[in-house]
Amino acid sequence: MTTSDAERVGLCAACAHAIRQRSAKGQAFWRCRQSDVDPRLLRYPPLPVLACRAHRPGTPEERGER
């Protein structure tokens, strides 16, 4: 992930709960896996995310990235 991507995405870019998904047309979406257990969170939050009660820094492996 580049610095400009991290600025565009916000906290989700480094969150253990966030995963990047691609549509069939190649568009990227960020999904919050914590929203599966916490109904207060949005599944696909509007970007950039600047504040989040569930944010937890994580590694690329935790987010399913390689």
Side-chain angles (χ1 to χ4, degrees), residues 13-35:
C15 182
H17 302 299
I19 58 172
R20 184 173 42 184
Q21 297 182 317
R22 293 227 175 253
S23 71
K25 295 182 180 181
Q27 189 172 9
F29 296 92
W30 288 83
R31 184 172 80 80
C32 178
R33 292 181 292 187
Q34 190 64 18
S35 69

Side-chain angles (χ1 to χ4, degrees), residues 53-64:
R53 71 181 80 224
H55 176 72
R56 183 173 66 82
T59 64
E61 291 78 24
E62 285 180 295
R63 294 187 304 271

Side-chain angles (χ1 to χ4, degrees), residues 5-21:
D5 287 340
E7 290 173 357
R8 183 181 58 79
V9 174
L11 291 175
C12 294
C15 182
H17 302 299
I19 58 172
R20 184 173 42 184
Q21 297 182 317

Side-chain angles (χ1 to χ4, degrees), residues 29-50:
F29 296 92
W30 288 83
R31 184 172 80 80
C32 178
R33 292 181 292 187
Q34 190 64 18
S35 69
D36 296 341
V37 294
D38 187 344
R40 298 173 295 176
L41 300 170
L42 297 174
R43 177 171 244 164
Y44 295 98
L47 303 177
V49 173
L50 303 178

